[in-house]
Amino acid sequence: MDLNIIQIILIIFIAFLAGTEGILDAWHFHQPVIACTLIGLVSGQLGPCLMLGGSLQMIALGWANIGAAVAPDAALAAVASAIILVLGGQGQAGIGSAIALAVPLAVAGLLLTIICRTLATGIVHIMDGAAAEGNVRKVEIWHMIAIVMQGVRIAIPAALILAIGAGPVRELLLAMPDWLTDGLSIGGGMVVAVGYAMVINMMATREVWPFFAIGFVLATIQELTLIGLGAIGIALALLYLQLSKMGGSSNGQSGPKHTGDPVGDLIDDY
């Protein structure tokens, strides 16, 4: 679909916010489910972009910076894939291809991240010198410059994709053979499953597994709406918090009453 100038400006602004939030991490605009939803809201493709963001979020949950290893750029993956989905005009049919394209885009975004972090090292030294001089205003200015640099890191690729236009993007997607698009869809689904498995591996504890099983079963009931599932999720979260405050009791047996895992103590008792 073709976008007007206001939509293009708003999408670039969302991309800028996603880039800054990748460092600030205050409002989570860099999270795929939020970035894709905002782009879908601006472009009028809320449904497909929301589904895309949800799928990408399951992948991004398994991405984390560990030591010197930098995770793929979730912000760039979300923004670029959402723009491609919107410009392609395929709706829900193009979600699989957009997901498959998001992963290499995220890896490619590592180059921009490394460049920005290298430049940020020099900015830190400038700020150290300003702090030694007692020039607080100069420190603040360079701090803002560093944050803006992170926003531009995502805004420029977004603007370049938008500059290409809907026509070439649509023609490129339509020119892809069926075996390639089907393969990208299958690959995208496998990547989501891998990300989901990584998340489960990180959160796999004995006090969480019962809640996961309950949620997994309830999600298969077609009569339950997302609002109903959300209400059940909130209720389970409140139940978990209440059990955490209660702790274990050992049922009158001798020995320590608490092991540092209150919910685990209750599960052991029962």
Side-chain angles (χ1 to χ4, degrees), residues 3-219:
L3 301 174
N4 57 48
I5 186 63
I6 296 179
Q7 289 175 316
I8 292 174
I9 293 174
L10 290 175
I11 290 176
I12 294 176
F13 179 68
I14 292 170
F16 178 83
L17 291 179
T20 58
E21 279 297 301
I23 299 299
L24 296 177
D25 203 11
W27 300 97
H28 295 279
F29 288 121
H30 65 295
Q31 298 293 348
V33 68
I34 296 180
C36 292
T37 300
L38 291 176
I39 292 176
L41 187 63
V42 169
S43 63
Q45 298 290 322
L46 180 59
C49 286
L50 181 58
M51 296 174 64
L52 172 64
S55 299
L56 289 178
Q57 189 66 54
M58 296 308 303
I59 303 174
L61 286 175
W63 291 345
N65 296 332
I66 302 176
V70 181
D73 195 338
L76 180 59
V79 171
S81 60
I83 293 175
I84 291 174
L85 177 64
V86 170
L87 294 180
Q90 294 179 319
Q92 295 185 11
I95 293 177
S97 299
I99 292 174
L101 292 173
V103 176
L105 287 173
V107 176
L110 285 176
L111 177 60
L112 295 175
T113 301
I114 293 172
I115 293 174
C116 288
R117 295 194 178 197
T118 303
L119 295 175
T121 302
I123 293 176
V124 169
H125 290 302
I126 295 176
M127 295 171 67
D128 287 338
E133 299 171 359
N135 192 339
V136 178
R137 180 59 178 169
K138 186 176 180 180
V139 173
E140 293 176 347
I141 292 175
W142 278 104
H143 179 76
M144 296 300 298
I145 292 175
I147 295 299
V148 170
M149 179 179 63
Q150 296 294 336
V152 173
R153 172 177 59 89
I154 305 298
I156 290 179
L160 291 176
I161 297 175
L162 290 169
I164 294 175
V169 172
R170 187 182 304 110
E171 292 176 2
L172 175 62
L173 294 176
L174 293 177
M176 297 170 63
D178 293 338
W179 62 266
L180 181 57
T181 55
D182 293 341
L184 290 175
S185 299
I186 295 173
M190 292 177 63
V191 171
V192 174
V194 172
Y196 196 36
M198 292 174 65
V199 174
I200 294 177
N201 186 52
M202 290 187 295
M203 60 178 285
T205 57
R206 58 181 182 178
E207 62 267 22
V208 174
W209 274 116
F211 296 98
F212 172 79
I214 294 173
F216 188 86
V217 173
L218 291 177

